[in-house]
Amino acid sequence: MENKLQLFEKQQVRSIWDEEQEKWWFSVLDIIAILTDQPDYKKTRNYWKWLKNKLKDEGSNVFSNTNEVVSDTNHLKNELGTICPQLKMPAPDGKMRLTDVADTEQILRLIQSIPSKKAEPFKMWLARVGRERLDQLQDPELSIEQAMLDYKRLGYSDSWINQRLKSIEIRKDLTDEWKKHGLKEGAQFATLTDIITKTWSGKTTKEYKQFKGLKKENLRDNMTNKELVLSMLAELSTKEISETTDPETMEDHQKVARQGGEIAKNARLELEQKTGKKVVSPLNAKQSLLLNQEHPGKPK
């Protein structure tokens, strides 16, 4: 399962790619928020609760696959009698929480139950998302191009986008190394990532996000160029050390994570000493973009 934030007219749609079934699962709440033009999370949730009850009372078959099993066994599987399956996605409080999801076919049927001027544009968007994913599976370079376009739409600079894409590549190399050693996505990946982050930056991932005033936003999408570079150095170093030492136990991997983070920490401390400026910044993406708009000629 691969969590991803998609963009429809600059509005985020939480989604998960199911590799086994080769299809997207979309957050029903996010789609309802778009179709109803209702950004308030609580009101959207109440509307969805009302709509679910209405559909059940009417005996609607909008979500006819009520026994469908989501392929990732780490997630909650759909049970008989529920209107749709649930998967863990980033919630407004930043935590991974179970939320109602639906596939493309189900979403198209759901749209028919919600009067909206955005219905047709959203149907076209759904079709494009599905087609792009299949194209990307055939040609991975297309996935990179799509990521660049998404970041550009959000207003990120070209130099930042290049750094971010490189950080994604390095992160994947590290997680591939972990998978090779039998480590599992979820708790083990999160534990090691937290160790790396804490070691090089002095903050856990949660503390780092709080420092930047983030909730559900992605931490790396809110890092400055300097922060991204040091994060990459920490993860690249961890991967290289892992390949050399061939750790066997989780304790061994934790030791390697600290060693990798230590290399980036030393680089951070030396840079701070030479420049007199802190690397870890409270700036987030919105603030950085605002600064760039106010001072377009001023470099980051």
Side-chain angles (χ1 to χ4, degrees):
M1 290 285 188
E2 174 192 345
N3 269 284
K4 183 177 180 180
L5 283 175
Q6 310 270 12
L7 289 175
F8 171 79
E9 297 181 355
K10 295 188 177 181
Q11 291 178 274
Q12 295 181 340
V13 180
R14 291 169 295 168
S15 56
I16 291 179
W17 175 252
D18 188 332
E19 292 184 1
E20 185 173 318
Q21 299 189 50
E22 293 190 348
K23 66 179 180 181
W24 285 108
W25 294 98
F26 299 96
S27 164
V28 176
L29 286 177
D30 291 354
I31 291 171
I32 288 177
I34 289 170
L35 295 176
T36 61
D37 276 324
Q38 178 53 264
D40 187 279
Y41 183 77
K42 289 184 178 179
K43 291 182 179 179
T44 302
R45 190 171 55 189
N46 289 336
Y47 182 91
W48 173 226
K49 183 179 179 180
W50 169 83
L51 183 58
K52 274 196 293 188
N53 290 331
K54 180 174 180 288
L55 293 172
K56 287 180 180 179
D57 291 342
E58 294 175 351
S60 171
N61 65 343
V62 169
F63 293 97
S64 58
N65 300 326
T66 53
N67 288 314
E68 185 168 9
V69 176
V70 178
S71 62
D72 190 337
T73 56
N74 291 324
H75 291 301
L76 183 68
K77 296 178 176 61
N78 190 31
E79 299 173 356
L80 182 63
T82 58
I83 196 165
C84 58
Q86 292 185 316
L87 291 173
K88 283 188 175 181
M89 290 181 165
D93 61 5
K95 296 181 180 180
M96 298 296 290
R97 298 188 184 279
L98 289 168
T99 188
D100 289 342
V101 296
D103 61 20
T104 302
E105 182 181 352
Q106 293 167 335
I107 292 298
L108 288 172
R109 293 202 294 270
L110 177 65
I111 290 173
Q112 298 173 8
S113 303
I114 305 175
S116 174
K117 62 182 180 181
K118 293 185 178 180
E120 290 306 316
F122 196 81
K123 288 178 184 178
M124 295 176 64
W125 179 84
L126 275 177
R128 189 179 72 249
V129 167
R131 184 182 67 251
E132 287 174 351
R133 180 64 187 196
L134 293 176
D135 291 343
Q136 289 164 10
L137 291 174
Q138 299 297 322
D139 184 358
E141 286 188 11
L142 294 176
S143 182
I144 297 174
E145 291 175 6
Q146 185 59 50
M148 290 183 68
L149 289 174
D150 288 343
Y151 283 124
K152 278 184 175 294
R153 288 192 198 104
L154 291 171
Y156 288 96
S157 68
D158 289 342
S159 63
W160 185 94
I161 292 172
N162 290 333
Q163 294 281 20
R164 182 69 179 99
L165 293 179
K166 189 63 180 178
S167 76
I168 292 172
E169 177 187 341
I170 289 174
R171 173 68 181 179
K172 186 177 185 307
D173 288 343
L174 175 59
T175 56
D176 285 346
E177 171 69 11
W178 286 342
K179 288 176 183 178
K180 188 175 71 175
H181 286 271
L183 298 181
K184 304 296 182 183
E185 293 186 61
Q188 290 185 321
F189 279 26
T191 296
L192 294 175
T193 301
D194 229 24
I195 291 173
I196 296 171
T197 304
K198 174 72 173 178
T199 303
W200 84 259
S201 72
K203 300 181 185 295
T204 64
T205 304
K206 182 178 180 180
E207 291 168 343
Y208 210 149
K209 292 183 72 171
Q210 290 175 338
F211 184 61
K212 285 182 173 290
L214 306 176
K215 292 183 178 179
K216 67 178 181 179
E217 300 91 342
N218 183 289
L219 175 59
R220 293 166 203 249
D221 283 352
N222 287 273
M223 285 184 173
T224 64
N225 277 340
K226 287 186 290 186
E227 290 172 305
L228 277 175
V229 168
L230 288 172
S231 177
M232 284 190 280
L233 176 59
E235 295 197 328
L236 175 64
S237 300
T238 301
K239 192 260 302 185
E240 294 287 330
I241 295 170
S242 177
E243 288 179 335
T244 302
T245 60
D246 197 21
E248 297 181 357
T249 66
M250 184 61 178
E251 186 177 347
D252 292 337
H253 282 285
Q254 291 174 341
K255 180 180 178 181
V256 170
R258 291 188 187 92
Q259 292 172 340
E262 194 72 27
I263 292 172
K265 174 187 175 182
N266 292 336
R268 173 179 67 82
L269 293 175
E270 185 172 355
L271 179 60
E272 290 176 342
Q273 183 181 18
K274 299 291 186 183
T275 63
K277 299 177 182 179
K278 293 291 184 182
V279 169
V280 177
S281 166
L283 282 177
N284 58 42
K286 291 181 180 178
Q287 293 167 333
S288 295
L289 291 173
L290 180 61
L291 289 174
N292 289 339
Q293 291 165 1
E294 292 175 346
H295 308 286
K298 185 178 179 179
K300 283 189 176 181

